[in-house]
Amino acid sequence: MNSLNKVLLLFVVVFMFVPTAYSQNNADPGIGILMTPASLEPESDGILRATVGNYGNQTIVVNSLRVTISVGANAEIIGIAPGSDARWSQLTLTAGPANTIRLTNIGGAFSSFDVGDILLDVKGKVESGPVGILANIIYIT
């Protein structure tokens, strides 16, 4: 195959097939975390806001998302706060500081570009800087 044919084949693959194969034609779950206030004094309360949803074009069906949120040793998740998106239900919550909560969207689906907030009550345990927060989302297709 000469060089011109190789270039033409590359052009056809890149501009004809790749955009179709990788177009935003699917669900795309995502999560963002914000703590208010950014740090907690011992025994003070705060709200951890996890904005979770679908940043893609297809619907994410009921009971297909699992969110896990963990805080560092200087805080404890108490539970889901009033005002949270009604689609989220608690699966598990470990006890004590540096604990973890797991949630699922058993209360509803996420349509295209649809997000909702999970609000969590958090209590400060020791005086320190910002709370170490880890979060992830799993999409079960």
Side-chain angles (χ1 to χ4, degrees):
M1 183 178 269
N2 66 31
S3 295
L4 180 60
N5 286 341
K6 288 179 184 176
V7 170
L8 287 174
L9 180 60
L10 179 63
F11 178 82
V12 168
V13 169
V14 170
F15 293 102
M16 300 300 284
F17 294 112
V18 172
T20 302
Y22 292 102
S23 67
Q24 180 65 302
N25 193 21
N26 57 6
D28 189 12
I31 186 170
I33 299 287
L34 178 65
M35 182 69 194
T36 307
S39 63
L40 297 172
E41 298 295 321
E43 299 307 313
S44 65
D45 296 323
I47 296 291
L48 189 149
R49 177 185 306 267
T51 302
V52 183
N54 183 7
Y55 296 89
N57 291 327
Q58 290 182 343
T59 298
I60 295 175
V61 298
V62 173
N63 207 25
S64 64
L65 291 179
R66 303 289 184 278
V67 171
T68 303
I69 300 171
S70 300
V71 293
N74 56 342
E76 178 181 1
I77 299 169
I78 305 302
I80 299 173
S84 289
D85 188 310
R87 292 175 279 197
W88 293 100
S89 293
Q90 180 177 308
L91 291 172
T92 61
L93 175 63
T94 59
N99 63 339
T100 298
I101 189 169
R102 290 184 61 232
L103 305 115
T104 186
N105 68 320
I106 198 165
F110 284 87
S111 58
S112 177
F113 297 95
D114 178 15
V115 297
D117 290 332
I118 302 168
L119 304 176
L120 300 176
D121 286 322
V122 179
K123 184 170 287 296
K125 290 299 174 186
V126 296
E127 191 167 350
S128 66
V131 177
I133 301 168
L134 299 173
N136 70 27
I137 185 168
I138 298 171
Y139 179 36
I140 303 166
T141 57

